[in-house]
Amino acid sequence: MTANVAVIGAGPAGLVVSRWLLSQGLQPSIFEEGSSLGGQWTARLGRSGVWPGMHTNTSRILTAFSDLPLDGDLVFPSGTDILDYLHRYARLFELDSRIRFGVRVDAVARAGQRWVVSHDGIDEHFDRVVIATGRFHSAFVPPVPGLDTFAGSAGAITSYEYRGPSPYRDKRVLVAGCAVSALEVAADLAAGGADRVVVTQRRQRYVLPKFVAGVPSDHRMFTRYGALADEALPAAEIDRQLKEIVVESAGSPEQYGAPRPAESLFAAGVTLNQNYLPAVAEGSITIRPWPQAVDGPTVKFGDGHTQEFDGIVFGTGFTLSLPFLADDVRATLNLDAGKFDTDRHTFHPDLPGLAFMGMWDQSGGYFVPLELQARWIAYTWGGMIAPPDHAQQREAVAACHSLGPRKTRMNLAAITFARAAGVEPRLENWPGLRRALLFGPLAPSCFRLEGPDALPAAAARFAREAAAFGAITDNDLTGRERSYWSDVEQARAQAHPTVSGK
């Protein structure tokens, strides 16, 4: 009997997991609260943090799935382009007819060996459930004394509610936060006619432009080499190498007039943004320490400075919110304690038949790791690969619990899921693509080279994508690349002297 699967959410995660579930003969039914597919990319107020006119900060090649390239000349497509892409993807795999629009799921609970999905007073039973509702819907606003008294004419909102600079023209705006949403909003306001833009932050991050010397930064920052090095080299060396990429690309923030960040990039953090630091350098954006208090329109900062504002926008991140999960499921995952105890963000051994998509926090684009996570789920449930070992799963869950919520990088997530799905390409099988596989972009095509669902045309496509912006045009490592890779090979050989590395 064919297993039926409830997929909660029709954004990128829900669509890609449904495509791969179908490939394994499972039958997904997609529940979508909104009136159209696309998730965040619908740009609908209250359901999306994407504002009209916003462009991706991830490159076209890495903002696509392996079956359907994102065509066009734009390196960084608009939100409208991504929404159109998702509609084309859904049509390609005939997913539209499987989506139930306007259905709000009220509860997901266990029912013996199966699962029950409750909505509109109806209980439906499924063999399995995938939660793909996204983790960027519940904006977090840190407590600031007196914030509830703020009396600026434009009010205080979160970046999730921001819909462009027009309401802030000729107004004084405070943007709180130092991660990507805060810097994107601040740069948008500075270019969009705000009278004054002030960014308040607890610490100064390094800032990496999204495009440097004709190459998208996500092609340089999120490589397979970076994932292998992270496993083999000391953390201090990984920190040094990543900081080297960032500082060689953009310099350090204090060179633009921003505060000096911590020496360690891991301690300071890094944010991707093209226009923020230049706006600081020209005075379009001013930086202040974190607020101590708000009194009417006046904000007092940590340095004692006070200033009046017409509006405040908080770009201070999101909390994971899955209120429809039954209490026992929430307890197993430790959700109410602010954790998400899972095996590699996906399964829990005590919750058979339940899987999660896209619930981790990372820097870099989600499309590539989302597809790999979807393939892992589909291959496991479809019997293509062996299910995870329960003892190893419990070790992974315990490690997750011990570490708690933390941010990762796109390449680390992608390689984790690729290995779980059995689709990580081996270097020795692709001598002509060795440099591209190590130091080129982590394009979706490289995960169709071997393993389940390998494609004959994948090698040629990956070679084109690696060379698309001139970063990887041959197979000879540069001197720096050779030195870096030699250190990783030596460390891997010492750790596993009898096992040849991938």
Side-chain angles (χ1 to χ4, degrees):
M1 182 177 175
T2 301
N4 62 345
V5 185
V7 176
I8 316 300
L15 296 175
V16 73
V17 77
S18 297
R19 174 266 186 269
W20 286 102
L21 290 170
L22 280 168
S23 78
Q24 293 298 304
L26 291 91
Q27 297 300 314
S29 296
I30 309 170
F31 293 82
E32 171 54 48
E33 183 178 358
S35 59
S36 62
L37 66 84
Q40 291 277 3
W41 299 102
T42 61
R44 293 189 174 184
L45 186 63
R47 299 193 53 78
S48 165
V50 174
W51 62 84
M54 192 180 95
H55 285 249
T56 66
N57 57 15
T58 57
S59 63
R60 178 184 70 242
I61 289 172
L62 299 187
T63 314
F65 301 130
S66 64
D67 293 299
L68 183 66
L70 181 49
D71 297 324
D73 297 325
L74 292 180
V75 181
F76 300 98
S78 69
T80 302
D81 293 327
I82 302 301
L83 183 59
D84 175 71
Y85 172 85
L86 293 173
H87 277 278
R88 289 191 289 118
Y89 187 83
R91 289 195 298 271
L92 177 64
F93 293 104
E94 300 180 346
L95 301 177
D96 302 80
S97 62
R98 295 181 173 273
I99 305 174
R100 307 186 198 179
F101 293 109
V103 177
R104 177 185 176 87
V105 170
D106 300 310
V108 173
R110 286 186 280 196
Q113 299 300 310
R114 304 184 76 205
W115 291 84
V116 60
V117 175
S118 302
H119 63 89
D120 303 312
I122 302 169
D123 291 342
E124 292 191 60
H125 289 77
F126 291 88
D127 299 305
R128 296 180 175 91
V129 175
V130 179
I131 307 299
T133 49
R135 72 172 312 280
F136 301 106
H137 292 290
S138 182
F140 172 70
V141 177
V144 178
L147 180 60
D148 58 342
T149 74
F150 181 66
S153 61
I157 65 170
T158 68
S159 60
Y160 191 74
E161 304 164 275
Y162 179 78
R163 284 300 178 270
S166 295
Y168 298 96
R169 189 164 288 118
D170 299 323
K171 295 185 183 297
R172 304 158 297 178
V173 190
L174 178 65
V175 180
C178 59
V180 60
S181 60
L183 301 199
E184 289 282 348
V185 168
D188 195 49
L189 288 167
D195 176 63
R196 182 186 308 145
V197 179
V198 176
V199 168
T200 178
Q201 57 188 23
R202 286 194 171 93
R203 71 182 190 277
Q204 175 65 55
R205 294 191 182 199
Y206 290 89
V207 181
L208 177 66
K210 63 184 186 180
F211 208 46
V212 178
V215 179
S217 291
D218 57 3
H219 286 218
R220 299 182 189 273
M221 194 75 171
F222 306 115
T223 63
R224 186 172 175 213
Y225 162 78
L228 299 177
D230 192 80
E231 298 169 341
L233 301 181
E237 175 60 12
I238 304 301
D239 191 341
R240 186 195 70 79
Q241 290 183 14
L242 290 174
K243 182 179 173 182
E244 187 175 72
I245 293 173
V246 172
V247 173
E248 286 186 355
S249 298
S252 193
E254 73 273 12
Q255 294 174 280
Y256 294 80
R260 184 181 183 89
E263 286 300 314
S264 164
L265 181 136
F266 285 168
V270 61
T271 299
L272 194 69
N273 185 275
Q274 190 73 21
N275 301 313
Y276 174 75
L277 285 181
V280 172
E282 67 185 18
S284 300
I285 294 174
T286 304
I287 301 174
R288 292 286 180 194
W290 195 250
Q292 285 187 336
V294 176
D295 183 9
T298 304
V299 176
K300 182 179 180 181
F301 297 98
D303 59 1
H305 179 84
T306 60
Q307 200 165 346
E308 291 189 356
F309 293 95
D310 301 300
I312 302 176
V313 181
F314 282 89
T316 42
F318 295 82
T319 57
L320 180 60
S321 178
L322 301 169
F324 50 82
L325 291 180
D327 290 344
D328 64 320
V329 177
R330 297 180 62 81
T332 299
L333 297 167
N334 272 314
L335 283 175
D336 293 331
K339 295 179 179 288
F340 182 59
D341 293 349
T342 50
D343 172 17
R344 289 163 286 180
H345 317 290
T346 308
F347 298 116
H348 193 289
D350 294 333
L351 299 170
L354 181 66
F356 296 88
M357 283 284 297
M359 297 299 170
W360 71 95
D361 190 11
Q362 71 170 30
S363 55
Y366 276 83
F367 274 61
V368 175
L370 277 178
E371 180 173 27
L372 293 166
Q373 188 182 33
R375 292 172 73 182
W376 179 26
I377 294 169
Y379 292 163
T380 300
W381 286 352
M384 176 73 73
I385 61 175
D389 177 82
H390 273 210
Q392 293 176 345
Q393 277 194 306
R394 293 193 186 283
E395 290 180 6
V397 171
C400 178
H401 179 85
S402 176
L403 290 170
R406 61 173 183 164
K407 202 177 189 75
T408 188
R409 301 192 296 279
M410 171 265 193
N411 49 340
L412 306 189
I415 294 302
T416 294
F417 296 139
R419 288 178 182 168
V423 297
E424 182 189 17
R426 298 180 68 91
L427 290 176
E428 61 267 30
N429 292 346
W430 306 95
L433 294 174
R434 182 168 174 266
R435 185 183 179 213
L437 284 170
L438 280 174
F439 294 97
L442 212 56
S445 54
C446 78
F447 299 108
R448 302 298 292 272
L449 291 170
E450 56 188 80
D453 293 296
L455 294 175
R461 178 179 161 191
F462 178 59
R464 290 194 303 271
E465 291 174 336
F469 296 96
I472 303 292
T473 56
D474 55 49
N475 205 35
D476 294 326
L477 301 185
T478 67
R480 178 186 293 179
E481 291 169 349
R482 192 177 303 111
S483 175
Y484 280 179
W485 181 235
S486 176
D487 289 345
V488 171
E489 286 188 308
Q490 289 179 22
R492 285 159 63 90
Q494 291 171 1
H496 304 286
T498 61
V499 180
S500 60
K502 286 187 175 180

